[in-house]
Amino acid sequence: MQVAEGGLSHMSGFVVFRKILRSDGIPGVFRGFGTSAVGALPGRILALTSLEISKEMAFKYSEHFDMSEASRIAVANGVAGLVSSTFSSSYSVPLDVVCQRLMVQGLPGMQTYRGPFDVINKVVRSEGLRGLYRGFGITLLTQSPASALWWSSYGGAQHAIWRSLGYGNGTQKKPSHTELVAVQATAGTIAGACSSIITTPIDTIKTRLQVMDNYGSGRPSVMKTTRLLLREEGWRGLYRGFGPRFLNMSLWGTSMIVTYELIKRLSVKPEQ
């Protein structure tokens, strides 16, 4: 929806979903899935490792500041999200370029590819290694704050929910497994909602910059991409695909954080 010309860009997410199913079947909905799933593993390991280390350091350092526990949690999570995104962007941007080109192939004006390595070969041949890093600057400047916002919102929302359920400081009772999952899922959904509202315009520009080639002469740039989008549709064009992105970030945040927190709990040795 962010890159398609004409009709698709003005349709609802559900209608676009049905059109993809009708023309390409189930495989069309999962274009680029293999590359994203397998290729993202090293980047996710890098991101979560740097996240945990920086979060622990930020929370410990914030003891010296006069702030509430909720504020310390939100700040520590925000700093950790910022650091994590900065470290992982150098790996994730080329992967993003490859996955997005696989997703949009077949649309008007888009090239077709035989797989991820064909994407890499064609991009490098036409633009050099710089082509794989299209949008790196805007990704670094936007995804890092977006990640900080997501983790900060998650930490703050989770703390507020636990307090509202009576699990404040000094309480002896422990939440059940169901309560843990429900609170983490709710906090992840809230974080996804906050992040998607703020980051959709930048994501639209970044996606178009990474996959579109009809810019005329010269290399594509953030300003050129933004001007083209505003000329085509005005300010509303910046929120192309907001519904699917909102749903995506909420579902992604919920499934990711519930699974992540579960693995963390299972990885801790039981007390003797």
Side-chain angles (χ1 to χ4, degrees):
M1 290 176 68
Q2 289 177 334
V3 301
E5 301 295 334
L8 276 180
S9 62
H10 300 287
M11 295 177 183
S12 68
F14 184 68
V15 173
V16 174
F17 180 74
R18 284 194 306 178
K19 275 186 166 291
I20 293 173
L21 282 178
R22 211 164 33 231
S23 61
D24 298 325
I26 295 295
V29 182
F30 284 91
R31 279 183 188 168
F33 174 77
T35 303
S36 179
V38 177
L41 287 175
R44 183 55 57 189
I45 292 170
L46 177 63
L48 292 178
T49 301
S50 58
L51 176 85
E52 289 296 335
I53 294 173
S54 55
K55 180 165 61 175
E56 183 177 348
M57 293 176 62
F59 190 73
K60 185 177 181 179
Y61 184 75
S62 64
E63 291 177 351
H64 305 293
F65 296 95
D66 183 21
M67 60 176 66
S68 65
E69 184 181 11
S71 298
R72 286 180 61 203
I73 291 173
V75 168
N77 275 271
V79 170
L82 183 70
V83 172
S84 170
S85 181
T86 302
F87 270 95
S88 62
S89 288
S90 59
Y91 175 86
S92 64
V93 169
L95 179 66
D96 210 22
V97 170
V98 174
C99 290
Q100 288 174 351
R101 285 180 176 257
L102 289 173
M103 289 176 188
V104 301
Q105 63 178 327
L107 292 176
M110 299 296 162
Q111 286 194 61
T112 56
Y113 304 96
R114 294 189 300 275
F117 293 106
D118 188 39
V119 176
I120 296 172
N121 182 48
K122 287 181 178 177
V123 170
V124 172
R125 199 164 53 205
S126 62
E127 301 180 55
L129 285 176
R130 291 180 63 182
L132 292 175
Y133 279 88
R134 268 199 195 184
F136 178 76
I138 192 172
T139 299
L140 198 62
L141 291 174
T142 57
Q143 288 300 102
S144 295
S147 178
L149 174 63
W150 195 98
W151 285 101
S152 179
S153 301
Y154 172 73
Q158 188 176 203
H159 180 79
I161 294 171
W162 283 128
R163 293 296 293 268
S164 69
L165 293 176
Y167 293 97
N169 294 333
T171 184
Q172 296 300 314
K173 63 177 182 176
K174 293 186 177 180
S176 65
H177 180 71
T178 302
E179 285 180 312
L180 280 170
V181 172
V183 170
Q184 290 161 359
T186 303
T189 302
I190 292 172
C194 294
S195 183
S196 62
I197 290 171
I198 294 175
T199 60
T200 294
I202 303 299
D203 188 67
T204 301
I205 295 170
K206 178 180 74 72
T207 301
R208 288 172 65 95
L209 177 64
Q210 289 178 329
V211 304
M212 297 187 73
D213 297 311
N214 57 333
Y215 293 93
S217 59
R219 286 181 55 81
S221 67
V222 173
M223 290 305 299
K224 196 180 294 186
T225 305
T226 305
R227 282 198 300 266
L228 181 62
L229 180 59
L230 291 176
R231 189 166 64 243
E232 289 176 351
E233 298 186 57
W235 293 101
R236 290 184 61 182
L238 294 174
Y239 273 89
R240 270 190 187 184
F242 171 74
R245 179 169 170 77
F246 171 79
L247 185 63
N248 172 53
M249 293 198 71
S250 297
L251 292 176
W252 169 83
T254 301
S255 58
M256 182 276 293
I257 202 62
V258 168
T259 306
Y260 178 54
E261 296 284 10
L262 174 63
I263 292 173
K264 282 173 62 178
R265 289 197 298 275
L266 293 175
S267 300
V268 176
K269 287 184 178 181
E271 296 180 359
Q272 300 297 328

